Amino acid sequence: MASFVIEGGHRLSGEIHPQGAKNEVLQIICATLLTAEEVTVHNIPDILDVNNLIQLMRDMGVTVSRKGLDTYCFKAEKLDLSYLESDKFLKKCSSLRGSVMLIGPMVARFHKAMISKPGGDKIGRRRLDTHFIGIQNLGADFSYNAEREAYEISACKLKGTYMLLDEASVTGTANIVMAAVLAKGTTTIYNAACEPYLQQLCKMLNRMGAKIQGIASNLLTIEGVDELHGTEHTILPDMIEVGSFIGMAAMTQSELTIKNVSYENLGIIPESFRRLGIKLEQRGDDIYVPAQETYQIESFMDGSIMTIADAPWPGLTPDLLSVMLVVATQAKGSVLIHQKMFESRLFFVDKLIDMGAQIILCDPHRAVVIGHNHAMRLRGGNMTSPDIRAGIALLIAAMSAEGSSRIHNIEQIDRGYQDIERRLNAIGARITRI
């Protein structure tokens, strides 16, 4: 198990480029299964979750070729269907959360799929109901094989229908869309997720020959087609990494320019950081964060304490709440962080409290942060990363802390952040991988 040793208290300066979006690329790679023709994907991040999915695609029989530093070509002409029912395949799926999005393309094109309960972050219950019910609505049969601990899905043919999703799940919507594009007839999905990454998937599918209307809204209409063809696609910059860098700049009182962020796809993220008192400027497609000795949390108009909460897009993504919570520990003022979606994601705050942060964990979903206003720095500590987003939040805390810190289980950070210590050390951080 690898660890980071972080020497805190160093200011950052210069420019940093965000990687390609993890949450988008997992959908896009799975979508390449929908055609026998070649699909070229640019700006793929070199991170653990993505690399594991690419290797899984190779094991499935997809021809994968690397054409450049961040460019891959996928050709799913002939799959090894016997491998897709093997214990080895199921074991790999169980360690990779993104594997659940193989169901839609597999059932749509090959009329069957088998998947184990996928892995990923340990952040509480992550239901698969939206995925399963949506694809069942299209005509697929689901059964659970208790002996193999796997779901078996089959469908002679999929048929378009109307459905109202019980939650605006991004991966659930993606899975249903990928199944519906090859279904016979028209599918209408209401309360669909409409995050930029889902928009990107729909735009790519349309370039492949799909007929999807309502992109960027929560009402998608999909007219099924007989087949899809190849295309080329470029992954957006990772909005979570952009937000992480804004938080790093604020916590370390640094001047930083974040390059090529696709500002129009950041939604409410910049404004949410401004609510914490952080100054930032849009310069073309870059974000400039000036060095601030202090930043003050806003209050609501009636004077009540600010609440930062996640919500379906265009609301604030839940993946940034861990970062915003850490940033608030050094702000002037108090804020309530309300993590609505995941019930265990705030449990890492005990590590911040050990570092000297003033946080009251109200329940599994809410925490009140009383900012230090940089008057009292966090202390270095010894901690373990429980998930990707808590991991980067702890790294930000350690970079601003007094003394040295050690973060264990950094494989969790590697799952979502590419070569993070080298990139941060290049702009002034002191991080060593052990």
Side-chain angles (χ1 to χ4, degrees), residues 31-32 50 132 204 261 270 301 324 371 380:
T32 65
V50 172
F132 290 0
M204 185 187 88
V261 299
M301 288 184 177
M324 302 192 82

Side-chain angles (χ1 to χ4, degrees), residues 22-36:
K22 166 185 175 286
N23 289 344
E24 177 187 344
V25 74
L26 296 176
Q27 299 176 25
I28 295 299
I29 290 174
C30 291
T32 65
L33 292 172
L34 286 165
T35 178

Side-chain angles (χ1 to χ4, degrees), residues 88-151:
K88 189 175 181 181
F89 172 73
L90 293 175
K91 184 177 180 181
K92 286 195 172 185
C93 290
S94 68
S95 63
L96 180 62
R97 179 74 188 174
S99 64
V100 71
M101 286 182 290
L102 296 171
I103 295 174
M106 289 297 301
V107 173
R109 186 166 164 223
F110 300 101
H111 311 295
K112 64 178 180 177
M114 180 176 282
I115 198 92
S116 57
K117 189 174 181 179
D121 291 328
K122 306 305 179 187
I123 52 178
R125 293 180 303 132
R126 305 181 74 177
R127 298 187 301 118
L128 297 177
D129 303 47
T130 304
H131 301 252
F132 290 0
I133 294 171
I135 296 174
Q136 279 178 320
N137 286 339
L138 293 171
D141 293 320
F142 276 73
S143 61
Y144 182 68
N145 187 323
E147 184 178 341
R148 303 187 71 185
E149 297 183 333
Y151 298 96

Side-chain angles (χ1 to χ4, degrees), residues 7-9 355 377-381 396-405:
E7 184 180 308
M355 297 176 76
R377 287 174 59 189
L378 300 178
R379 303 182 296 271
I396 294 171
M399 289 168 64
S400 74
E402 193 169 47
S404 294
S405 299

Side-chain angles (χ1 to χ4, degrees), residues 11 25 30 67 69 76 82-83 92 97 115 148 151 153 169 230 236 248 251 253 324-325 343 361 400 403 430:
R11 296 198 179 195
V25 74
C30 291
K67 300 298 185 181
L69 191 63
S82 61
Y83 174 76
K92 286 195 172 185
R97 179 74 188 174
I115 198 92
R148 303 187 71 185
Y151 298 96
I153 309 102
S169 164
L236 287 176
M248 286 178 191
M251 281 287 281
Q253 300 172 298
M324 302 192 82
L325 186 150
E343 61 197 11
L361 185 61
S400 74
R430 300 281 180 87

Side-chain angles (χ1 to χ4, degrees), residues 319 351 399:
D319 285 350
K351 302 169 179 65
M399 289 168 64

